[in-house]
């Protein structure tokens, strides 16, 4: 499949190895997500992959209703990482009602429907 080429594949290959990697522009130093071949801020073409710090906060959150026999309600959130990028995720380990905007979380690589994905858990107090 053609779409398996390029920076998006590099990101997914990282997830498959349990790593969350982010591109950083060597010109304006901003971090980038989704993976791209050009910096969306300054159009720079010199991008370098770095492991993410994995610290972040919940930017928005939505509860998705699901029958208890299918696993119960869960949340879908947009998490903002310390690098300043935002990505879709899900907060595990607490009920969807406890996921609030501004909640400090740690990102990690988990699975959604058998596919490696970025998940989050609350930062231990
Ligand atoms: Zn740039």
């Amino acid at each position: 499949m053609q779409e398996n080429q390029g920076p998006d594949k590099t990101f997914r290959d990282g997830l498959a190895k349990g790593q969350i990697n982010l591109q950083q522009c060597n010109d304006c130093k901003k971090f980038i997500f989704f993976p791209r071949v050009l910096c969306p801020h300054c159009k720079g073409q010199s991008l370098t992959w770095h492991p993410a710090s994995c610290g972040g906060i919940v930017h928005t959150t939505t509860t998705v209703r699901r029958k208890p026999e299918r696993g119960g309600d869960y949340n879908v959130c947009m998490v903002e990482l310390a690098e300043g990028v935002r990505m879709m995720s899900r907060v595990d380990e607490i009920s969807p009602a406890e996921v609030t905007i501004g909640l400090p979380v740690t990102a990690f690589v988990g699975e959604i429907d058998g596919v490696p994905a970025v998940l989050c858990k609350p930062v231990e107090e």
Side-chain angles (χ1 to χ4, degrees):
M1 291 198 298
Q2 278 293 342
E3 65 184 13
N4 280 346
Q5 305 302 316
D8 187 53
K9 175 167 166 48
T10 305
F11 180 74
R12 280 182 283 120
D13 284 351
L15 289 186
K17 286 183 272 183
Q19 299 164 353
I20 302 172
N21 295 315
L22 294 175
Q23 290 171 298
Q24 184 182 25
C25 175
N26 292 322
D27 294 327
C28 71
K29 306 300 181 193
K30 287 184 174 154
F31 281 88
I32 299 164
F33 191 82
F34 293 90
R36 292 176 171 93
V37 293
L38 282 182
C39 172
H41 306 289
C42 73
K43 309 288 188 250
Q45 298 181 41
S46 176
L47 309 177
T48 306
W49 288 94
H50 297 281
S53 66
C54 295
I57 60 165
V58 172
H59 181 67
T60 60
T61 179
T62 305
T63 298
V64 179
R65 303 288 171 194
R66 189 169 57 175
K67 291 179 179 169
E69 60 268 30
R70 297 195 55 214
D73 295 349
Y74 65 100
N75 78 89
V76 174
C77 69
M78 185 73 79
V79 64
E80 182 168 311
L81 297 181
E83 286 83 358
V85 300
R86 292 171 186 169
M87 61 178 73
M88 296 298 298
S89 183
R90 188 180 81 196
V91 181
D92 273 359
E93 298 189 2
I94 57 176
S95 81
E98 293 177 280
V99 181
T100 53
I101 291 169
L103 180 76
V105 292
T106 302
F108 65 100
V109 181
E111 276 191 8
I112 294 180
D113 297 332
V115 178
V118 177
L119 300 182
C120 293
K121 58 188 175 185
V123 173
E124 316 261 332
E125 307 238 355

